[in-house]
Amino acid sequence: RLNLSPIEALELDRIPRHLIVLGGGYVGLEFAQAFRRFGSRVTVVERGRRLTKREDPEVSEEVQRILEAEGIEILLSA
């Protein structure tokens, strides 16, 4: 188990089997999508009721739909 900053995550020499991203902001979601496409199992944990909380609810819903369609697990209000 590692606790990595975004910079450290980019310097990994191997892809993790499972990546947990804390927070549903743009940086975390970008890493979630990238590592899922690299082959990692990815879970995003957001304490709020939706992702990208500064966006309109419709945008947040669409972002969530896209990520889930790619196989990313989203946990809200967690």
Side-chain angles (χ1 to χ4, degrees), residues 24-26 46-57 60:
Y26 284 111
E46 168 57 45
R47 68 177 163 179
R49 295 181 303 177
R50 61 187 177 98
L51 302 175
T52 60
K53 63 184 175 189
R54 294 184 180 167
E55 296 296 333
D56 291 334
S60 296

Side-chain angles (χ1 to χ4, degrees), residues 6-68:
I7 300 299
E8 294 167 327
L10 291 174
E11 296 173 345
L12 289 174
D13 59 356
R14 63 184 172 82
I15 302 301
R17 286 190 314 234
H18 186 195
L19 179 73
I20 298 173
V21 177
L22 301 178
Y26 284 111
V27 173
L29 298 180
E30 186 175 5
F31 275 94
Q33 188 176 49
F35 275 88
R36 178 65 191 127
R37 289 178 178 180
F38 293 152
S40 295
R41 182 176 148 226
V42 178
T43 303
V44 175
V45 180
E46 168 57 45
R47 68 177 163 179
R49 295 181 303 177
R50 61 187 177 98
L51 302 175
T52 60
K53 63 184 175 189
R54 294 184 180 167
E55 296 296 333
D56 291 334
E58 297 81 17
V59 172
S60 296
E61 290 171 12
E62 184 64 13
V63 168
Q64 182 173 344
R65 187 194 66 73
I66 290 167
L67 295 174
E68 288 176 333

